[in-house]
Amino acid sequence: MAHEPYKDKEFLYEMYVKRRMNLTDICKHLEKSYNITVTPQALYNWVKKYDLLKYRGKGRNLKNTAMRRPKSPMQEMVERKRREMRKMNSMKKKGRKSQ
């Protein structure tokens, strides 16, 4: 590992993506474990440089990541019922509009 671990891509990937720590918590971890004082903005710059924001940033698509939790059978049943109800309601609305 490098002398300054927060500049290492593997270290940031482990902390930010795998452990899902936020930048402030990573700063605290660096201070406690390595006695390195770093601002969250500096970490953000490194995370952005290594293009790790796509894993945790806005608009990320969780369907394509391994972090997605499987749905329970009950949850799938409820979602199926909701889809059916929406479909029935939209069919009723379409039927009223055509009359």
Side-chain angles (χ1 to χ4, degrees):
M1 194 174 287
H3 179 64
E4 297 171 318
Y6 65 93
K7 293 182 181 180
D8 184 35
K9 184 176 181 177
E10 287 80 23
F11 174 82
L12 287 175
Y13 184 83
E14 173 70 28
M15 295 293 168
Y16 188 68
V17 178
K18 287 189 174 179
R19 294 189 188 178
R20 301 193 58 79
M21 293 173 69
N22 62 31
L23 297 175
T24 307
D25 291 340
I26 297 172
C27 289
K28 291 175 184 174
H29 173 75
L30 287 168
E31 178 72 37
K32 194 164 114 179
S33 299
Y34 298 95
N35 200 20
I36 296 174
T37 304
V38 145
T39 63
Q41 182 63 48
L43 285 179
Y44 174 82
N45 293 338
W46 284 101
V47 166
K48 186 176 179 182
K49 177 182 178 179
Y50 292 133
D51 199 28
L52 299 177
L53 292 174
K54 64 184 174 187
Y55 298 107
R56 297 272 315 268
K58 292 181 181 177
R60 63 193 164 105
N61 189 357
L62 290 179
K63 291 180 182 177
N64 297 332
T65 64
M67 301 301 262
R68 196 175 115 203
R69 225 183 287 167
K71 294 180 181 177
S72 70
M74 179 60 83
Q75 190 176 11
E76 289 176 355
M77 185 186 76
V78 168
E79 288 177 359
R80 192 177 324 112
K81 290 277 188 188
R82 284 182 183 159
R83 282 193 300 270
E84 290 172 5
M85 291 299 291
R86 279 191 214 118
K87 188 175 180 180
M88 284 182 15
N89 288 337
S90 69
M91 295 298 279
K92 286 180 184 178
K93 288 179 184 178
K94 287 180 184 178
R96 290 181 187 163
K97 288 180 181 177
S98 64
Q99 289 178 350

